[in-house]
Amino acid sequence: MIFERQFFIDDLSEGQKFIDEVRGDPHFSSAKALLIKGYSAKFSSRTSLFLHEKIRKSLPESQFFGLALNNRKDEFAEHLGIVNVLFFDHSKVTVLEADCTGRSYEEVAVELGRQVDLIPDVKAVELVSSAVEHGFNKFMEKISEGREEICFFGAEAGFTNLETNALAGSFDTIFNKELKESRERYVCGNNAIYKNGIVMLVYSGKKLSVYADAFLGWQAVGKELTITKMASPNCVETIDDMPAADIYKHYLNVQSDENMLRNICEFPLITRRNGFETARIPPMCDEKKRLYFLADVHEGERYQLSYAIVNDMLKLAEIHSSRMKSFAPETISLYVCANRSLFLKEVEAQEIGYYKVISPACVNVMGGSEPYRSHNTGGVLNSMLV
């Protein structure tokens, strides 16, 4: 069994109260493993480090895992942070972590992969990243190589302290140097807070069962569009030999201006990789009409524009959550792309609500891209619910 409790943090002085309540929980003394998962859209890395050190000192038997988020609504508008505590009766959780500074994604993946291989009966790996280099797909491909039966899933960290009324700012921060310097993006492991690192949470145990799922909700439509020239690994210069941003003007009559993201969030570009539909949204274009992407795109790849209907997307979420309910999970990890929030607007909570009915303590984690890879499919995804 897994027993889960949720705590809301509104003041740093509540740290000791939280520790006392965890130690006083009836499941504490008998738990085989203790997992603490922390989330905040407001805490600076310094504040998170203060709480991290206090908790780790008082609860050294715990495994610690967390990240900064882009969430600006609901619980994250009301509270400074959320901490979920999970008590495992039979299964084991192990946190693995790495600083990525001065190292390639492939090198870090080999190191962490070797540590995963030392753990018996691994069922799934939840991971978060604040790595600053573009190309996180290289890590996902390498870490899953030879481990196809394990599902790897999670998020790239968001940025704290963005304007609450400008969700699109979470994308602007990726590319804007001035904004980058005034915001923070980090992940938390057992040993440190990382501004350029990867933290993995390994779930293992013979009796542990895991149900993994990911879905999109947009439908590809129209002609295929080919990326004909890349300016850099995350920057597309031309599509079908025209300036990349002009495809939105040509097909959707959308101008490449400051409102572009909100105008195109309904129409992600979709390609198929090993039969898996992969969406991409360019959060920024420049004066040369080049498009910038958060996740990997490749010259020669073919994409289609897509569309979705709100009610159909909600129905799809209901179907997928019903399958999850049939599995009868004792905890749910939920990662949701910010683009879904832009698209669903005021009914966003309804989509998440299907899962909160099953597991009231599940947190709607909104970071950057959503890494998800299992059985040689998936990668670093956008616009997904994982």
Side-chain angles (χ1 to χ4, degrees):
M1 294 279 296
I2 302 171
F3 301 94
E4 185 170 20
R5 288 186 62 183
Q6 187 167 75
F7 298 85
F8 298 109
I9 306 299
D10 295 307
D11 190 283
L12 292 182
S13 63
E14 296 176 356
Q16 188 59 50
K17 179 183 177 183
F18 162 78
I19 292 167
D20 293 341
E21 289 200 30
V22 172
R23 284 201 168 278
D25 190 281
H27 302 104
F28 178 79
S29 59
S30 61
K32 181 177 180 179
L34 174 65
L35 172 62
I36 297 174
K37 302 176 81 173
Y39 312 95
S40 180
K42 298 177 181 179
F43 281 150
S44 67
S45 59
R46 184 177 178 179
T47 301
S48 290
L49 180 61
F50 171 82
L51 290 171
H52 175 273
E53 290 178 344
K54 186 177 183 68
I55 292 170
R56 288 288 293 156
K57 183 177 180 180
S58 300
L59 297 168
E61 60 276 271
S62 66
Q63 297 289 295
F64 199 98
F65 177 89
L67 73 162
L69 306 180
N70 288 332
N71 302 56
R72 299 294 176 262
K73 300 178 182 179
D74 304 323
E75 300 102 323
F76 291 99
E78 300 170 14
H79 305 284
L80 295 179
I82 297 177
V83 179
N84 282 11
V85 179
L86 293 88
F87 305 88
F88 291 77
D89 263 3
H90 302 290
S91 304
K92 185 179 179 181
V93 289
T94 307
V95 166
L96 306 176
E97 55 203 278
D99 190 331
C100 296
T101 304
R103 309 171 69 192
S104 70
Y105 279 122
E106 292 88 348
E107 180 185 353
V108 174
V110 168
E111 175 192 315
L112 292 177
R114 287 172 179 162
Q115 295 178 55
V116 171
D117 293 341
L118 295 175
I119 302 171
D121 302 309
V122 174
K123 300 298 175 63
V125 176
E126 189 170 357
L127 57 91
V128 291
S129 169
S130 59
V132 299
E133 293 298 323
H134 187 77
F136 190 55
N137 59 295
K138 297 175 184 176
F139 175 86
M140 290 297 294
E141 290 164 7
K142 192 67 177 178
I143 194 69
S144 60
E145 187 178 285
R147 305 177 185 92
E148 288 78 10
E149 299 301 314
I150 300 173
C151 179
F152 293 84
F153 71 98
E156 293 184 274
F159 288 83
T160 60
N161 299 322
L162 295 172
E163 295 292 336
T164 57
N165 63 350
L167 181 60
S170 62
F171 296 113
D172 295 338
T173 312
I174 300 290
F175 301 103
N176 188 303
K177 183 176 184 294
E178 183 178 345
L179 281 174
K180 264 188 174 182
E181 292 174 349
S182 64
R183 316 300 185 192
E184 286 197 292
R185 183 173 181 249
Y186 59 85
V187 295
C188 310
N190 282 341
N191 302 319
I193 305 292
Y194 299 93
K195 293 186 179 180
N196 185 17
I198 295 172
V199 178
M200 304 201 317
L201 178 57
V202 182
Y203 296 92
S204 60
K206 288 184 178 180
K207 296 183 179 181
L208 179 65
S209 296
V210 173
Y211 181 89
D213 190 24
F215 64 91
L216 183 57
W218 274 270
Q219 302 294 321
V221 65
K223 66 168 291 189
E224 288 188 329
L225 308 169
T226 302
I227 295 177
T228 46
K229 185 177 181 181
M230 300 286 297
S232 67
N234 69 320
C235 178
V236 176
E237 186 164 333
T238 65
I239 297 177
D240 279 358
D241 294 317
M242 70 173 75
D246 280 353
I247 64 166
Y248 294 105
K249 178 68 169 64
H250 183 78
Y251 293 104
L252 302 174
N253 198 30
V254 172
Q255 302 292 334
S256 51
D257 57 23
E258 67 276 5
N259 296 313
M260 179 179 168
L261 176 60
R262 293 188 180 277
N263 290 329
I264 68 172
C265 70
E266 297 183 36
F267 311 103
L269 292 164
I270 290 180
T271 191
R272 290 167 185 80
R273 297 175 177 173
N274 292 331
F276 193 94
E277 285 194 332
T278 302
R280 293 289 181 258
I281 281 283
M284 177 182 169
C285 68
D286 62 21
E287 66 280 356
K288 296 181 180 179
K289 298 185 178 182
R290 298 180 297 190
L291 298 175
Y292 293 78
F293 292 82
L294 302 185
D296 60 304
V297 291
H298 306 281
E299 189 169 307
E301 258 189 334
R302 296 180 177 182
Y303 287 82
Q304 291 172 277
L305 290 166
S306 66
Y307 76 99
I309 298 171
V310 168
N311 288 339
D312 290 349
M313 186 174 288
L314 292 176
K315 182 62 178 178
L316 186 63
E318 185 178 14
I319 292 170
H320 280 261
S321 64
S322 294
R323 296 172 186 165
M324 180 71 74
K325 185 177 181 179
S326 297
F327 176 73
E330 293 162 345
T331 183
I332 295 177
S333 296
L334 192 66
Y335 292 91
V336 185
C337 183
N339 191 51
R340 299 181 82 88
S341 178
L342 287 174
F343 175 69
L344 291 172
K345 299 181 177 68
E346 64 274 3
V347 298
E348 170 196 6
Q350 187 173 338
E351 181 178 56
I352 307 306
Y354 292 127
Y355 292 90
K356 284 189 172 289
V357 167
I358 307 168
S359 177
C362 82
V363 176
N364 168 21
V365 178
M366 188 182 296
S369 299
E370 306 81 51
Y372 176 89
R373 190 161 175 84
S374 179
H375 296 92
N376 285 324
T377 63
V380 179
L381 310 176
N382 295 147
S383 301
M384 299 287 286
L385 188 151
V386 173

